[in-house]
């Protein structure tokens, strides 16, 4: 397992580009280290909107295996509000 990527407290349309760039850079770095399943922590997320969830869902469309760890209540609530509870469960279970 890799050292988890810590998602920021704000994952909104206003921070989506910065979060995407940091996440992609981290994925590239971890892939170079031959990490098989990456861990992404959503423990600190306190504000998230559709853009933030879209960014995470887009990662699901890559060949890189990853799993979500420690989703915050805000993250879980946003997934539920947008009908992404099944996706969240799958993201938590990926191994």
């Amino acid at each position: 397992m890799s050292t988890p990527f810590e998602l920021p407290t704000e994952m909104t349309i206003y921070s989506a580009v910065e979060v995407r760039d940091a996440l992609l850079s981290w994925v590239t770095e971890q892939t170079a280290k031959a990490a098989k399943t990456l861990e992404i922590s959503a423990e600190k997320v306190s504000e998230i909107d559709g853009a933030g969830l879209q960014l995470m869902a887009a990662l699901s469309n890559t060949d890189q295996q990853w799993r979500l760890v420690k989703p915050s209540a805000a993250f879980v609530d946003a997934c539920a509000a947008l009908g992404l509870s099944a996706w969240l469960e799958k993201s938590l279970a990926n191994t």
Side-chain angles (χ1 to χ4, degrees):
M1 295 283 171
S2 64
T3 301
F5 179 84
E6 294 286 338
L7 293 172
T9 57
E10 180 186 326
M11 288 191 60
T12 66
I13 194 167
Y14 304 108
S15 61
V17 172
E18 293 84 11
V19 175
R20 180 203 63 200
D21 291 347
L23 182 58
L24 290 177
S25 176
W26 177 81
V27 167
T28 300
E29 178 183 310
Q30 296 304 310
T31 302
K33 293 179 182 177
K36 294 192 182 209
T37 301
L38 305 180
E39 292 187 337
I40 300 173
S41 174
E43 182 175 29
K44 297 177 182 176
V45 175
S46 61
E47 186 177 354
I48 187 165
D49 65 9
L53 288 175
Q54 185 177 11
L55 176 62
M56 298 306 301
L59 189 57
S60 297
N61 293 325
T62 67
D63 292 332
Q64 179 61 54
Q65 286 189 335
W66 66 279
R67 72 183 193 99
L68 189 67
V69 295
K70 302 178 185 175
S72 66
F75 196 100
V76 172
D77 291 347
C79 286
L82 293 175
L84 295 173
S85 294
W87 171 84
L88 175 61
E89 288 300 317
K90 182 180 176 192
S91 298
L92 290 167
N94 280 344
T95 55

